[in-house]
Amino acid sequence: VHPRYRSPHVGILVSAAGMLLFTIVTTFASAVTITVGLRVLIYIVTCAALPVLRRRGGHAPASTFHRIDRPKVFATTVRDPLQRAASYFHFLTEVAIEHPLNASLRKIGFLGALTSSFFAPQFVNLQCEWIGGKPSIAAALTTLLREGWIIRRYDQLEDLTSEIAWRFRWPKPTVEKLNAAPAPYYNRVCTPKIERLLHKLNDEDRKLWALLS
């Protein structure tokens, strides 16, 4: 990446040089064939990546942005780990009907999902890991103390957006909470056995939540 313009200048130059070479040494028909072949290859790679991206979701850990060599301000909310797990299960089974995990999760239920190899990694101490790079409160606190963070609980989302707007002199945004499971759903699916299991699995995230409470 170019240090000043932040553009992939090496990739642009290599692509331009390759196109110039093909233009000079090949015929028009050959150039069309190469173009179509490359386009098909890009489509295949993109389609192959979709299932992986759908399973990973849209979140990225803070360490992902350390590669950006510019001043940064991190902002995030931390959610009650029990409610987060229940809400995520509700989203995958009741909202995202076409999600690849929908049928499997509906079949095994919430308790089965908590011990599965494909659902548990999506919530077990993941908030500490997103912040600190490791699923521990110690790693999260180290990162929070070392770098500039704006962090609030999920129920303080409006405070978070207000502080961000104040910090950057932006207009105060309207806050909309999407995909949040209704409270009766949590009370219905979280039996005492499930709550004990969730407490055990999310011990580090619970410490982070308690710290902000």
Side-chain angles (χ1 to χ4, degrees):
V1 177
H2 193 277
R4 179 178 178 185
Y5 299 106
R6 316 306 298 174
S7 58
H9 62 290
V10 176
I12 293 173
L13 292 174
V14 170
S15 299
M19 292 178 185
L20 178 62
L21 179 64
F22 283 130
T23 302
I24 294 174
V25 302
T26 63
T27 63
F28 177 77
S30 299
V32 170
T33 302
I34 293 171
T35 300
V36 172
L38 289 175
R39 187 170 299 178
V40 171
L41 178 62
I42 292 172
Y43 286 159
I44 292 173
V45 173
T46 302
C47 292
L50 282 176
V52 178
L53 294 176
R54 292 184 69 179
R55 287 177 180 272
R56 288 183 178 179
H59 301 287
S63 57
T64 301
F65 304 98
H66 291 164
R67 292 174 248 173
I68 302 175
D69 187 21
R70 299 171 68 182
K72 298 177 287 292
V73 175
F74 293 93
T76 189
T77 59
V78 174
R79 193 171 186 182
D80 181 329
L82 277 66
Q83 293 185 4
R84 182 177 175 275
S87 181
Y88 187 54
F89 182 81
H90 172 269
F91 171 73
L92 293 181
T93 56
E94 305 292 338
V95 180
I97 305 300
E98 297 182 359
H99 194 281
L101 296 179
N102 180 275
S104 300
L105 292 175
R106 292 174 70 91
K107 182 178 180 180
I108 63 178
F110 192 31
L111 180 59
L114 296 180
T115 56
S116 68
S117 60
F118 52 86
F119 180 77
Q122 302 298 322
F123 72 89
V124 174
N125 295 318
L126 200 59
Q127 296 181 105
C128 283
E129 185 171 356
W130 281 337
I131 295 173
K134 297 179 181 179
S136 69
I137 182 65
L141 288 178
T142 299
T143 300
L144 291 173
L145 294 173
R146 185 178 64 238
E147 300 171 351
W149 279 78
I150 305 174
I151 184 169
R152 295 289 185 275
R153 299 193 314 267
Y154 182 72
D155 57 336
Q156 298 173 323
L157 187 57
E158 291 189 6
D159 294 341
L160 176 74
T161 56
S162 296
E163 184 168 347
I164 293 173
W166 176 84
R167 177 81 65 91
F168 295 101
R169 304 297 187 267
W170 293 341
K172 185 177 179 180
T174 301
V175 178
E176 296 184 18
K177 295 182 180 180
L178 304 177
N179 304 328
Y185 179 84
Y186 175 82
N187 296 332
R188 187 174 76 247
V189 300
C190 285
T191 63
K193 181 178 181 179
I194 287 178
E195 284 196 347
R196 288 194 298 270
L197 179 58
L198 282 171
H199 278 295
K200 180 179 179 181
L201 292 173
N202 282 287
D203 186 54
E204 298 299 305
D205 270 7
R206 284 177 58 224
K207 295 174 184 177
L208 179 62
W209 171 256
L211 186 67
L212 298 173
S213 299

